Amino acid sequence: QSLTQKTSQRSSRVGTRSEQCYTMAEIDFLIIIGGYLSVCGGVKVATVEVDTLHLAAHTSDHFLSVTIDAGVIGEHLDPVQNFTPPRLLNMARLLAPAVWRLGGTSEDYVIFNHSMNASQSRLDRDVAVLTANQWDKINCFSRDAGWHLIYGLNALLRTKEGRWDSTNAEQLLNYTSNKEYTVSWELGNEPDLFYEHSGPNVTASQLAKDFKTLRSILNRFPSLGKASESFHVKLAGPDTATLTRDNYFRDFLQELGDGVVDAVTWHQYYENGHTAKEKDFYNPDLLDGLIGSLAGARETAKKYSPSSEIWLGETSSAYGGGASNLSDTFIAGNLWLDKLGLAALNNYTTVCRQTFVGGNYALLDRDLHPLPDYFTSVLYKRLMSSKVLYVKGSLDRHRTVRVYAHCSNQTNYPNGHVTFIVINLTNETVQLKFPDTLTDQPLHLYLLTPGGDGIQSKQIMLNGKLLELDNDMVPSMPGKEIAAHTNIQFPSLTYGYVVADAKAEACM
């Protein structure tokens, strides 16, 4: 139900406690902090219940990850500059550990040639060459950033019989193995749309056979995909653009069977970037569309490839390069944080944000300066752990105040702390009422609001302070301590984090 609907239904039943306009169930293992709504002096008060005894799901330490489009291969000046700018590396390190996917539509038009130099790497309009020198720089960047590279191989290299021609891929794999680089792999980008991109119509059945071929080749290189004891993905796919078109996603997994891919991947965008409107970015119905898709893909993957992880292999607010002056502004944080909250609850282990740099949906602009979603992502990394808690109603539809919870990142907060994501989609201030059991100790608030230009600002403020680089370095971004037993207000169309010493048993 919407905020207005819930308020009208409950306002007649809301009582007071110590002259405060809220009600609270007396449940030993539930903390009430933000779910149903009441009205107090014109201010809406939100409360929810979070189970602090049990974990609802697990993600991973690389849950929030990124992509860079393969179109940068063969383009040496803009915007990545062969992965060498110091600012690019500085920005990347703050998102570590992370997977970074180097892929996209362009990956199916890239070939590897270790004997060519950079000046020769653009053969023609449709084919780019990945040189050995570029590959070395890509892998050095990955190592220095603390990221793990997953690279998309060209699936449109075909034999006369229609099978995947693995010859060029094997050259790259041999070179990678000889250099002792640690890389994971994909094969093809959005194969359910190949025919729309003037490529051959590769059926789901044929692509599954091609993946089996690639898996048998990768088995000859046991060290290629091994990043750490906690990361075991060597091959991921199918990276479909949709879940339903021609049943490609389902048919691929059914033909593939279990044990071939280590991660099942699909792509998600809310809408077309060329037609997106500002109001879409705070429309709960648009956000709710993801709920069923996440669960449906997870169940399909579980049925046909139960040993695999499930990833959002490429995702952002709007496809087609993003929506200019929307996907790259403060208001896009609504969609980004909500997506992270929902994916975590559905046991997704990786969400690859399109993109780190490049396009209107990037975390960094063309000059490698951080956009609002970058700062929001850095805070997510600092504050959230892989342990997911269930907030009552967090999978319900029509929520205009959306709250998610994880155990806090123990690098920055002790055991037992809980970090809440709070998103206020309403046009009014919402007050979060925390019970005494949660507020015996001060809370830490990370309230994110737009800089100049309102909700379409390309700047963001943390607790009223503008976030900007200082000598190419990101500021420390501390939280604001809120005194015990104090209410917290989230203004209209803002979002952020609240950290509480909940003494949560699930987080010990």
Side-chain angles (χ1 to χ4, degrees), residues 4 27-28 51 123 135 140 148 188 193 204 208 259 266 324 359 437 451 478 487 506:
T4 303
I27 305 175
D28 290 339
D51 184 348
L123 291 183
W135 191 238
C140 287
H148 180 78
L193 300 184
W266 62 285
S324 178
T437 53
N487 296 347

Side-chain angles (χ1 to χ4, degrees), residues 334-356:
N334 290 333
L335 278 62
W336 181 222
L337 280 178
D338 193 68
K339 181 178 299 180
L340 292 171
L342 290 173
L345 279 171
N346 277 277
N347 274 297
Y348 280 63
T349 53
T350 305
V351 176
C352 293
R353 167 62 181 259
Q354 176 88 345
T355 61
F356 183 57

Side-chain angles (χ1 to χ4, degrees), residues 33-35 46-50 59 63-64 287 332-345 351 373 375-394 399-409 417-425 430 432 434 438 444-448 488 490 494-500:
I33 145 187
T47 62
V48 329
E49 302 172 357
V50 55
T59 61
F63 175 67
L64 193 160
L287 276 63
N334 290 333
L335 278 62
W336 181 222
L337 280 178
D338 193 68
K339 181 178 299 180
L340 292 171
L342 290 173
L345 279 171
V351 176
D373 277 0
F375 289 112
T376 303
S377 298
V378 172
L379 283 172
Y380 186 99
K381 286 282 189 176
R382 291 179 179 178
L383 301 176
M384 310 290 279
S385 77
S386 61
K387 297 178 179 180
V388 187
L389 302 173
Y390 178 67
V391 175
K392 185 177 180 180
S394 55
R399 291 170 295 128
T400 52
V401 178
R402 303 166 87 94
V403 182
Y404 304 95
H406 287 222
C407 298
S408 298
N409 188 332
H417 280 67
V418 173
T419 300
F420 297 91
I421 295 173
V422 181
I423 307 166
N424 180 8
L425 299 178
V430 171
L432 297 180
F434 293 84
L438 188 64
H444 284 179
L445 172 65
Y446 299 80
L447 175 63
L448 296 167
I488 292 179
F490 273 75
T494 62
Y495 47 82
Y497 306 89
V498 178
V499 182

Side-chain angles (χ1 to χ4, degrees), residues 473-498:
M473 301 301 292
V474 172
S476 59
M477 300 194 292
K480 178 181 179 180
E481 186 171 295
I482 304 297
H485 311 299
T486 302
N487 296 347
I488 292 179
Q489 292 190 352
F490 273 75
S492 169
L493 299 178
T494 62
Y495 47 82
Y497 306 89
V498 178

